[in-house]
Amino acid sequence: MKDDGLAAGKGVVVTDDLDAAKAHANACERVVIEEFLDGPEVSLFAITDGVTVVPLQPAQDFKRALDGDEGPNTGGMGAYSPLPWSDPKLVDEVVQTVLQPTVDEMRRRGTPFSGLLYAGLAITSRGVRVIEFNARFGDPETQVVLARLKTPLAGVLLAAANGTLEDLAPLRWSEDAAVTVVIASHNYPDTPRTGDPITGLDEVAAQDAPHAYVLHAGTRHDGDDVVSAGGRVLSVTATGTDLTQARERAYAAVARVRLDGSQHRTDIAAKAAAGE
């Protein structure tokens, strides 16, 4: 059940509970009812100049607020890349069957698209299905994808803008893994509390860099202090030789950040790191 309108990433309820589905539908002015898609979700970004499509590396994010994919749907509580469980042919398949045909058809219609194409996918028992398209980078998957990209992003975007992606050298990627953990404010995603002081950011910079760092999302300055100003407040991103090390570094940095009433998931990339 999906709210037919802007809902800040929180308008969807995916459930096998009919009563929960009805309750969400009744809370929406207009509602979209969509096919239930089994299997894991994957986010794949691609950059295009309207002709050539250059895919980035896939990532997986965690939509639910609580561990074990429990709790309400959110805009994303964390992400990781690469996906050791995914089919090595997945990216090529999505480019050939989804992204390139989309770009070709838009050009054929006289409305060519250049820029960032974001395909939200479900790897179902019936094959790859497209959940959504966005014409932007997605949060929090972008954090882990760009943490692994060694080719300067600016040059890739310039090639997309001036129509020369075909001449671009293959993208270079780090072999390291990356994990992002989102620190959310009290009562997110319902009515998040704001204005709470955030401390420990200097400790992360001093003790965890360059392998772990903090990206700001819902923050603002209050004098000399940094305070929360939204639901998803910070993204703590870390890299490592594998997902296990990246997780350890990410959660070590998360532990240094202090925000009263904050919440975060403790299982980001845990199953993938364990080979499940």
Side-chain angles (χ1 to χ4, degrees):
M1 290 293 177
K2 187 171 186 177
D3 191 347
D4 185 16
L6 293 175
K10 302 184 289 293
V12 180
V13 167
V14 181
T15 180
D16 54 10
D17 184 332
L18 183 59
D19 290 336
K22 288 180 176 179
H24 184 68
N26 288 330
C28 302
E29 184 175 344
R30 290 163 56 92
V31 66
V32 178
I33 303 174
E34 299 181 344
E35 174 189 4
F36 181 85
L37 300 175
D38 60 347
E41 291 187 26
V42 172
S43 297
L44 182 63
F45 305 134
I47 297 171
T48 180
D49 56 9
V51 177
T52 301
V53 174
V54 176
L56 304 185
Q57 290 287 303
Q60 184 175 63
D61 76 334
F62 292 74
K63 302 284 190 189
R64 301 281 184 167
L66 306 177
D67 286 3
D69 287 329
E70 299 291 334
N73 215 48
T74 76
M77 295 296 291
Y80 70 94
S81 179
L83 311 181
W85 50 267
S86 70
D87 188 334
K89 299 178 181 178
L90 174 64
V91 173
D92 289 340
E93 177 187 351
V94 174
V95 170
Q96 293 170 11
T97 63
V98 177
L99 297 174
Q100 190 68 57
T102 298
V103 170
D104 291 345
E105 178 63 15
M106 293 189 71
R107 188 176 67 256
R108 187 193 69 80
R109 294 186 181 192
T111 55
F113 174 80
S114 63
L116 197 292
L117 191 60
Y118 161 18
L121 310 166
I123 313 302
T124 78
S125 57
R126 302 176 300 285
V128 175
R129 296 290 187 270
V130 178
I131 302 172
E132 63 176 346
F133 273 131
N134 281 305
R136 56 164 173 79
F137 277 114
D139 173 37
E141 303 98 312
T142 303
Q143 287 88 311
V144 292
V145 172
L146 295 188
R148 300 183 56 231
L149 179 63
K150 297 179 71 175
T151 300
L153 179 63
V156 184
L157 298 180
L158 178 61
N162 61 26
T164 59
L165 273 180
E166 184 180 14
D167 302 326
L168 194 71
L171 300 183
R172 295 179 296 111
W173 294 93
S174 169
E175 294 296 323
D176 285 353
V179 172
T180 287
V181 179
V182 171
I183 298 177
S185 57
H186 176 73
N187 205 39
Y188 176 76
D190 293 329
T191 307
R193 191 174 74 201
T194 61
D196 290 316
I198 302 167
T199 59
L201 301 178
D202 292 342
E203 296 174 30
V204 175
Q207 300 185 47
D208 300 293
H211 299 296
Y213 47 89
V214 177
L215 297 171
H216 291 241
T219 66
R220 64 178 175 85
H221 276 108
D222 183 6
D224 293 332
D225 298 328
V226 176
V227 300
S228 60
R232 289 184 293 166
V233 180
L234 302 166
S235 291
V236 179
T237 301
T239 57
T241 55
D242 55 23
L243 286 174
T244 297
Q245 186 179 57
R247 290 189 77 250
E248 290 172 352
R249 288 172 170 173
Y251 280 107
V254 167
R256 301 190 202 282
V257 178
R258 293 174 290 279
L259 170 61
D260 185 46
S262 67
Q263 56 180 315
H264 65 272
R265 284 185 59 157
T266 65
D267 62 348
I268 303 300
K271 288 185 177 181
E276 299 176 13

